[in-house]
Amino acid sequence: MKTLFVRKKTGETLRCQYKDIETLRKELSPCLGIMIADNCLLGDNVLLEEGVQLHPGCRILDYSFIGGNSIIGVNTVIGERVFVANDARIERDVCVCNHSILGAGVEIDRGTHIATNGFIGCRCKIGYDCAIGQHAMIHNDVNIKHDVELGGRVIIETGVTIGLGARVLSYVRLAAGRVIKDLEWVDR
């Protein structure tokens, strides 16, 4: 038996125990104010806020939180103990590894991988096929174009733009407002 928590817009939290996801999907999700599509998997003790949409084949692992009005795309994996704030848009085939935090209004395009303990601030936009290293810290309002690689423990400050295909090596800090050109390599 698994437990799902759903927080309504009124602040009330509902606790649902279920044996199989199909029963939850067909019978409970409409009255709970969430959408769970075919072939989704929910771990134990997941908390979803009202308005969440889980698209086919997505996986939300144990003890994770998905904020209100967030959309989780087809075949996307949200690891254990991940926090996704309100109004996040996560496209298809994205992987957000364990213990990561995604701020409100984040947009992550298809095929992107965020390694363990990643932090993505509010209103960040991450293009498709990006790789974000372990313990990366990306502040608010950062714009990362497609096919970008960020090494482990990078710090990207507010308002930075990283161009198409750029590479930022591990342990680099990019100052607020900096612009990294397409295909540029940044090291210490």
Side-chain angles (χ1 to χ4, degrees):
M1 187 78 77
K2 290 187 178 180
T3 303
L4 170 71
F5 296 92
V6 177
R7 185 176 298 145
K8 305 292 273 181
K9 289 180 181 169
T10 61
E12 174 187 16
T13 301
L14 306 173
R15 180 177 184 223
C16 308
Q17 291 196 311
Y18 64 97
K19 289 184 181 178
D20 65 282
I21 193 75
E22 288 307 307
T23 303
L24 178 68
R25 186 179 75 76
K26 290 178 183 174
E27 296 177 14
L28 294 178
S29 68
C31 55
L32 294 175
I34 56 176
M35 185 203 85
I36 302 174
D38 293 336
N39 300 320
C40 287
L41 176 119
L42 293 177
D44 198 21
N45 293 303
V46 168
L47 172 58
L48 304 176
E49 286 193 329
E50 192 170 2
V52 166
Q53 296 178 30
L54 304 178
H55 287 270
C58 74
R59 310 277 184 260
I60 313 295
L61 302 184
D62 296 349
Y63 301 100
S64 288
F65 169 87
I66 310 296
N69 302 315
S70 292
I71 298 172
I72 309 298
V74 174
N75 296 327
T76 288
V77 176
I78 304 294
E80 291 182 0
R81 299 179 190 277
V82 170
F83 179 90
V84 178
N86 297 342
D87 302 312
R89 302 289 179 265
I90 302 173
E91 295 292 332
R92 68 182 306 124
D93 302 316
V94 170
C95 179
V96 180
C97 291
N98 299 347
H99 306 281
S100 292
I101 298 171
L102 306 181
V106 163
E107 295 178 20
I108 301 174
D109 213 335
R110 64 182 160 76
T112 291
H113 182 272
I114 299 169
T116 304
N117 293 313
F119 174 85
I120 313 294
C122 297
R123 299 171 306 280
C124 289
K125 292 180 176 31
I126 300 176
Y128 63 81
D129 295 332
C130 292
I132 312 293
Q134 289 185 335
H135 302 279
M137 178 178 281
I138 300 172
H139 292 240
N140 299 337
D141 301 307
V142 170
N143 187 7
I144 299 173
K145 304 291 184 192
H146 311 305
D147 194 33
V148 169
E149 287 184 25
L150 300 180
R153 298 186 187 278
V154 299
I155 298 174
I156 312 296
E157 293 185 1
T158 301
V160 169
T161 297
I162 301 176
L164 176 76
R167 305 292 182 253
V168 179
L169 301 181
S170 295
Y171 299 98
V172 169
R173 181 183 196 119
L174 297 178
R178 185 163 175 193
V179 176
I180 305 301
K181 297 176 184 160
D182 292 352
L183 302 175
E184 186 175 347
W185 282 72
V186 181
D187 62 15
R188 302 198 307 162

